[in-house]
Amino acid sequence: MARVPPSRLEVEALHERLCQRIAELRSLVVGDVMRVFLEVSSLPCAQALWSFEFAFDEDDGRIARIEARFAEHGAPAGASEDLRGYEVHVLLPRLIPAYAPSDGVRAATPLGAPAGSLVERFVRALADLGAYRAIEALEARSADVYLL
């Protein structure tokens, strides 16, 4: 097994850092939780950032889920459910606005993320999702982080 340079973190260390950073938020505004999630996911990691996922069903429950998965560098394309990662379950308030604000998303691409990177593409995709824009400014009831 190749030794990981000390400047690169393992997925478990990113998970711990994400837990700490979310716990430090004064309020759990969805956009701030997403910003912290993207900042931590952009840190140098021993594994390559493989995918992001955002899921939210406004008709069933009130949990938004954001997920990051990592693969070994140079690994062939495989099933994403076998990859290491973490996810955040954001418990939303009972009432959610029917329409998304039109002023764009607050989640910004973290500094140092290269143009065209997965992080930047994910932020652009969020900007197109009315479901995300509708909840971004809401204060969540909780945000729980899980290691996958």
Side-chain angles (χ1 to χ4, degrees), residues 22 72 79 107 113 135 137 141:
I22 288 177
E72 295 300 324
I135 65 170
R141 296 165 63 191

Side-chain angles (χ1 to χ4, degrees), residues 26-91:
R26 291 192 184 276
S27 62
L28 290 174
V29 174
V30 174
D32 294 338
V33 172
M34 181 64 77
R35 177 184 47 78
V36 166
F37 174 84
L38 292 171
E39 287 172 359
V40 170
S41 298
S42 298
L43 294 172
C45 183
Q47 294 81 26
L49 181 59
W50 182 263
S51 66
F52 284 123
E53 183 177 329
F54 168 78
F56 168 58
D57 183 352
E58 32 190 335
D59 296 326
D60 182 30
R62 292 290 184 244
I63 295 178
R65 186 180 56 80
I66 48 179
E67 174 185 292
R69 295 279 185 155
F70 298 82
E72 295 300 324
H73 292 279
S80 62
E81 57 271 357
D82 294 336
L83 301 177
R84 301 286 301 156
Y86 44 80
E87 67 183 5
V88 181
H89 290 193
V90 182
L91 180 59

